């Protein structure tokens, strides 16, 4: 099993454990799209309580990658995803957060 496959298995188990529904092919595509960052402990996760980190998710993923316009809708979606994963959950995997945001905005086609 490759390191990428191990990460995908880890993220899918995480989503299973949280009771979150997902499309494995899309999760694979999002994970692969994150490149080597998934192998760095700090970069692999998102801090749901750090405004700077949430701004990075908003600017680098939602606005630049998904092409969405800035606005309160983006902040609300991030908060919704953080709540769904669980605010107290320390390991909010970036691949899972990005996956859920892509689905939230109907932007799955970016990964096809």
């Amino acid at each position: 099993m490759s390191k990428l496959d191990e990460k995908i298995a880890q993220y899918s188990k995480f989503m299973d454990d949280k009771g979150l529904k997902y499309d494995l092919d899309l999760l694979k595509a999002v994970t692969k799209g994150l490149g080597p960052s998934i192998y760095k402990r700090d970069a692999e996760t998102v801090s749901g309580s750090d405004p700077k980190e949430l701004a990075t998710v908003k600017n680098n993923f939602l606005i630049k990658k998904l092409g969405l316009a800035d606005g309160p809708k983006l902040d609300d979606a991030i908060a919704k995803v953080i709540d769904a994963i669980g605010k107290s959950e320390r390991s909010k995997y970036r691949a899972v957060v990005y996956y859920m945001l892509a689905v939230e905005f109907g932007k799955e086609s970016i990964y096809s």
Side-chain angles (χ1 to χ4, degrees):
M1 182 182 277
S2 73
K3 285 186 175 186
L4 177 62
D5 290 336
E6 289 174 11
K7 287 295 183 182
I8 292 166
Q10 179 183 359
Y11 303 149
S12 60
K13 181 183 181 321
F14 176 82
M15 293 184 82
D16 286 338
D17 292 348
K18 292 287 180 185
L20 301 169
K21 294 181 181 180
Y22 62 95
D23 174 314
L24 185 57
D25 290 332
L26 180 58
L27 181 61
K28 285 179 184 179
V30 172
T31 303
K32 190 173 183 179
L34 286 168
S37 68
I38 61 171
Y39 305 110
K40 296 176 184 149
R41 183 144 171 75
D42 188 48
E44 179 185 31
T45 58
V46 172
S47 170
S49 59
D50 180 1
K52 186 177 175 186
E53 177 72 22
L54 298 177
T56 298
V57 170
K58 180 178 172 181
N59 293 320
N60 292 353
F61 183 68
L62 294 177
I63 295 172
K64 289 180 184 173
K65 176 76 175 180
L66 298 187
L68 300 170
D70 194 0
K73 223 168 52 166
L74 303 186
D75 296 315
D76 293 344
I78 292 170
K80 180 179 175 183
V81 166
I82 297 298
D83 285 343
I85 292 172
K87 286 185 179 182
S88 63
E89 176 60 56
R90 293 187 51 81
S91 297
K92 293 177 190 71
Y93 295 112
R94 188 170 303 277
V96 173
V97 171
Y98 285 13
Y99 169 90
M100 292 175 71
L101 287 168
V103 170
E104 177 72 20
F105 288 102
K107 293 289 191 172
E108 299 93 335
S109 62
I110 288 192
Y111 291 98
S112 357

